[in-house]
Amino acid sequence: MDITMTVHALETKSVVKTYQSDFGTIYAVADVSLQVTNGEFVALVGPSGSGKTTMLSILAALLKPTSGQILIDGQDVSNMSDIERVAMRREKIGFTFQANNLVPYLNAVENVELMLRLNNKLDKAGKLRARELLARLGLEERLYNLPGQMSGGQQQRVAIARALIHNPSLVLADEPTASLDTERAYQAVETFAGLIHEQNRAGIMVTHDLRMCEFVDRVLQMQDGKLVHEYQGHEEIMRFINNSRN
């Protein structure tokens, strides 16, 4: 009998990240195991210092775990060389962090096209997709503006477009709505979620604004470096959001 193994877009196995201090070993991430499938958008939430941003940096292949495995499309990132990790980030991962890191001398379209250029995929279709993606994020009138000519919120939306443009297997976002007003935040996350579902990508968003969890498929709650709760399904997630407000 043929048995087909399910390869998750992302899987972590007992991931640990420790730091040494004068007071002993500090566990920034403690034995975290999770799976995210294609077409699934997951929120990672928790108080400041809970380990969620450290975990996201590990998933982005920016930090190496102290122990454990990170598998992206079945490939073990944790044992890769530095060169292999750079290639993995460039080809398989899209990410945007609070500091959007746009190139100051490139306009909005050029910043988004940069990921295609780095992967040798900047063709006519890619250029059109970059413009369409920016338009979906409400930036159709800012295509040729430099970052310094845009507001912080507009810059963040350019960074979101850049994270999605090269069709990565895994999309990671650290507080993608931090500099957006409520209306634009909802628009950005709803578009983010829609694109992840449409393109069958896996997405993880770290957010302190629990209202944004309305658009995700699951919520994973961290505390003291550990995953302590999971909420899934729209009704359960909305109860979590409402209870957190009380």
Side-chain angles (χ1 to χ4, degrees):
M1 179 170 54
D2 290 336
I3 298 176
T4 302
M5 296 289 290
T6 299
V7 177
H8 298 278
L10 171 68
E11 183 175 8
T12 73
K13 299 179 180 181
S14 302
V15 170
V16 173
K17 182 63 177 178
T18 61
Y19 296 98
Q20 297 301 318
S21 75
D22 293 339
F23 304 99
T25 301
I26 296 174
Y27 282 80
V29 175
D31 195 28
V32 172
S33 297
L34 59 87
Q35 297 173 336
V36 183
T37 60
N38 290 318
E40 187 178 29
F41 191 27
V42 176
L44 195 60
V45 304
S48 178
S50 62
K52 56 188 187 296
T53 296
T54 300
M55 188 66 200
L56 202 71
S57 296
I58 291 172
L59 299 179
L62 293 170
L63 282 179
K64 284 190 175 183
T66 304
S67 62
Q69 284 184 297
I70 303 97
L71 305 173
I72 297 177
D73 281 350
Q75 294 180 268
D76 190 348
V77 181
S78 45
N79 288 326
M80 285 182 176
S81 68
D82 290 342
I83 292 175
E84 290 171 329
R85 287 156 62 86
V86 168
M88 171 65 75
R89 288 198 299 269
R90 186 180 65 239
E91 298 167 9
K92 295 277 191 176
I93 302 173
F95 49 85
T96 176
F97 295 104
Q98 293 182 53
N100 52 60
N101 296 326
L102 298 181
V103 180
Y105 54 83
L106 298 181
N107 64 35
V109 171
E110 291 168 338
N111 264 287
V112 176
E113 291 175 347
L114 183 60
M115 289 305 300
L116 297 175
R117 190 180 298 278
L118 291 172
N119 285 296
N120 296 315
K121 294 181 179 179
L122 183 57
D123 54 15
K124 186 176 180 181
K127 291 180 178 182
L128 177 60
R129 174 174 158 75
R131 285 157 177 76
E132 290 176 343
L133 190 52
L134 286 167
R136 287 191 66 173
L137 287 162
L139 293 170
E140 59 274 2
E141 296 181 358
R142 299 286 184 177
L143 299 181
Y144 305 107
N145 286 158
L146 297 172
Q149 297 170 322
M150 293 182 285
S151 68
Q154 290 167 341
Q155 292 179 45
Q156 188 71 340
R157 280 179 275 152
V158 174
I160 289 171
R162 185 181 58 188
L164 292 164
I165 188 64
H166 59 302
N167 293 324
S169 300
L170 176 64
V171 183
L172 304 172
D174 188 9
E175 304 287 2
T177 63
S179 58
L180 303 183
D181 59 37
T182 299
E183 181 180 354
R184 289 299 189 187
Y186 275 114
Q187 180 190 41
V189 176
E190 186 175 21
T191 301
F192 217 155
L195 288 165
I196 285 168
H197 293 146
E198 289 170 22
Q199 298 175 2
N200 203 34
R201 309 299 168 191
I204 297 183
M205 170 181 66
V206 164
T207 183
H208 72 280
D209 188 347
L210 298 184
R211 296 172 300 174
M212 299 302 113
C213 294
E214 178 180 341
F215 301 104
V216 305
D217 304 298
R218 276 192 296 149
V219 176
L220 303 177
Q221 189 173 22
M222 290 191 72
Q223 184 173 330
D224 298 328
K226 299 178 181 179
L227 288 180
V228 293
H229 291 294
E230 177 177 332
Y231 307 90
Q232 57 185 325
H234 186 71
E235 290 185 6
E236 187 171 85
I237 290 171
M238 291 307 297
R239 280 197 299 271
F240 164 68
I241 294 171
N242 292 328
N243 289 339
S244 297
R245 290 172 176 168
N246 300 329

